[in-house]
Amino acid sequence: MKAHLFILLCCTAIAGLTGCGSQNHRHYIQYQQQPENESIEHVGLVVVNSGEPRFLGGLESSGPYQGAGGMLYGPGAAGFAAMLAAHAITQSAVDEAKAAEAQAQANLILDKYQSVLARYTDSYIAAVSLASLNTIIPDGKFHSITEHPENFGFIIEMSPVFYMAQDEKSLVLKNAITIYKDLPEDKIVYQNMIQAIAVTESSTPSDYWLAQDGQELSRVVSGAIIRSIEAAMKDAGGHFKNTTKAQTIAYKLSDVTHYERGTVLIDDCDKRVVRTLRGWIYILPQNIMCGPDEEAAAAKI
Amino acid sequence: MLFRVSLLLVLAALTSACATAPTQPIALQTEFWDTPNQKVGVVISEIPAPDVFLPGAGCLLCVAVAEGNHATLSKNVDTFDTSELQSLPEEIKHKLESKGLEVVVLSEKFSGKALKKIKSSDPQSPKFDYSSFANDSDITHLLVVEIQGLGIHRNYSSYVPVGDPQGWFSALSYMVDLRTNTYAWYKPVQIFKASDIVWDEPPAFPGLTNAYYQALAEGKSTLTNDF
C-alpha cells in the first residue's frame, strides 16, 4: 500500500514538475483569416482603447526574465508540492514587478518626444488614418465610428502601440487589427498583428525625429499606421500569397541584426513584407537601388 | 576515518587530473592578414540532424519522462531545416578572399576521427595532427567548422525542467597553422534563443521554431564575423 502511495505521489510530483518552468501564458493576437476572400468596402474604422499607452520605450531584450532558475526543495511530497506552489506565485509576482520597473525605466526615452506624441489621441489617430486611406483608396470607403453602428459593410478595429528603441534609431509599430463583417452579424473575417518598422541612420536621431516641430516623427507614425491597415486589408482580401519558400530574414534594428523565419510576400525597393511563422505581417524597411519601373510598382502599394 | 578522508582526497586528485582544461578562445592576430604566401583551406563537418536535447535528466526514468513530455516537440524538430549551413564554407571563403587571401573550400567532410591524436599538456594546442591536410594540398592553414549540435535545448534537474526550451546552435571553429600545427584562431560558439512570447504551441511550435532558426542565423553570423 505504502509503495503504491509512494508511486502515486512520485507520478503527481513529476507531472507537476514538468509543467514548472514553463512560460507564463501570455496572450497574443492569433492570425485568423476566413477562407473566402472578399472585397472590403464601406469600412468603419475604430481605434480600440485598451487603456494601455500608445507609445512605449523599447526594452533591450524581448524576454528579460525568462526561466524559473534552479530550485532547492526539502524532503516530503507535501513540502515539495507547497514549495512548487510558492515558487510559482513568488516568481510570477517578482517577474511582473521587475518587468513593470524595466518598462517604466525604458519609457523615459520618450520624454523629449511628448510634445509630438501627445497629439496622437485615439480620435486623432482615426482622423489621420481616415484622411490618408480615403486619399489612397478613393470613393469615400472609410468612415470613423466610435462604436459598432449598423449598415457598415465592414468594421476595422485596431489598437496601435509604438515602441521607441533606447538609442532612438528605430520606431516599431505593433498594430493588432481585427476586421469584422457587420451583417448579418458581427463575424471576424480577419485578425492579425501587423508590425511596421521605421529607422533612421542619423547620428542624432532625436534631432531627426523632432525637426520642424516633429514633422518627421508625425510622418513616420501616421505612415506606419496607414501601411499596417493597408497590409491587413490586402491580406484579408487574399492578395498576399505564400508563394516563396520559408527563409530566415535578417533586418537591422538599432544597429543590431534581428532574424525572423518567414515567407517574403513583397520585396520592393523601399520595403519588404514578410509573413512570420505565427502568421503575423512584418513590414520591414529596405533601401535598395531600383529602376523607374520598380519604383512605380512600389508606389502603388 | 582518516583512511576514508585520504581515499576521498586521492580520488578527487585523480578525477580532477583526468579532466583537461578546455581550450580558451584565440583571437586571430592582425599580422595574419599581412603575411604573404598563405593559402587557407576551409572544411566543414557533417551537419548533425536537429534534435531535442534535455541535459540534466540524469537517470533512465528521468530521460524517459522528459522525452515523453517533448514527443510532439520532437516530431516538429524533425522538420527543421539545416540547409542554410551548407553555404557556410563558401561564405567564409568569400569573406577571407575579400581580405586578399587565397582560399579553397575542401569538398570532403571533416572528421577528427581520421586524424592522429597528439598528447599535449597545453590546453591551447590542438589535440590532433592536422599535417595530412598540408600533404594533400598546398594549403598553409586549415579552417575547420565543426557543427556540434543544433535543435532545441532544455535544461533538466532529474525530473524537473529548470527553464523553458530554447533554440540552440553549438559549433566549434578554428584555424590551424599547418606548418606548426598550432591554433591561429579558435572560437567556440553556443547560441541559445528563447521563444518570443510563448513556446508551448503544438503542433507547429512557431515561437520555438523561429527561435531555432534565429539561433542558426546568429551562429552563422558569429562564426563569420571575425573575418
Side-chain angles (χ1 to χ4, degrees), chain A residues 90-111:
Chain A
T90 51
Q91 187 69 40
S92 167
V94 167
D95 284 357
E96 278 179 27
K98 278 185 179 173
E101 192 187 323
Q103 187 59 65
Q105 193 66 32
N107 289 347
L108 296 176
I109 202 72
L110 296 171
D111 284 356

Side-chain angles (χ1 to χ4, degrees), chain A residues 55 117 120 162 171 216-226:
Chain A
F55 296 91
L117 302 182
Y120 282 86
F162 284 88
L171 192 63
E216 187 57 25
L217 184 58
S218 298
R219 188 189 67 78
V220 165
V221 168
S222 303
I225 294 172
I226 304 304

Side-chain angles (χ1 to χ4, degrees), chain B residues 68-136:
Chain B
N69 280 333
H70 296 87
T72 319
L73 179 59
S74 291
K75 213 171 175 181
N76 185 54
V77 169
D78 289 343
T79 67
F80 284 1
D81 186 23
T82 60
S83 59
E84 284 177 23
L85 292 173
Q86 302 288 358
S87 60
L88 200 46
E90 284 297 333
E91 284 173 38
I92 291 172
K93 177 179 183 253
H94 182 70
K95 281 206 152 193
L96 291 173
E97 280 178 341
S98 70
K99 296 264 178 92
L101 278 172
E102 194 180 346
V103 188
V104 58
V105 172
L106 307 182
S107 56
E108 67 205 75
K109 293 291 176 196
F110 175 80
S111 170
K113 287 175 189 170
L115 300 174
K116 196 172 88 184
K117 275 192 177 178
I118 294 175
K119 278 190 181 174
S120 170
S121 56
D122 181 6
Q124 297 301 94
S125 71
K127 308 290 176 290
F128 296 101
D129 178 5
Y130 293 88
S131 58
S132 58
F133 285 94
N135 300 337
D136 296 344

Side-chain angles (χ1 to χ4, degrees), chain A residues 18 21 23 28 259 261 278, chain B residues 84 164 196 199 201 210 214:
Chain A
T18 50
Q23 77 286 343
Y28 63 89
Y259 301 97
R261 188 77 174 173
R278 291 191 193 284
Chain B
E84 284 177 23
D164 291 345
D196 58 347
W199 69 266
E201 306 164 284
N210 191 47
Q214 284 175 332

Side-chain angles (χ1 to χ4, degrees), chain A residues 69-134:
Chain A
M71 289 191 293
L72 293 170
Y73 50 89
F80 183 42
M83 180 281 302
L84 279 180
H87 170 80
I89 292 164
T90 51
Q91 187 69 40
S92 167
V94 167
D95 284 357
E96 278 179 27
K98 278 185 179 173
E101 192 187 323
Q103 187 59 65
Q105 193 66 32
N107 289 347
L108 296 176
I109 202 72
L110 296 171
D111 284 356
K112 63 179 86 125
Y113 300 103
Q114 284 308 330
S115 61
V116 179
L117 302 182
R119 292 176 207 156
Y120 282 86
T121 59
D122 288 357
S123 54
Y124 184 72
I125 290 172
V128 165
S129 306
L130 286 168
S132 297
L133 287 167
N134 277 324

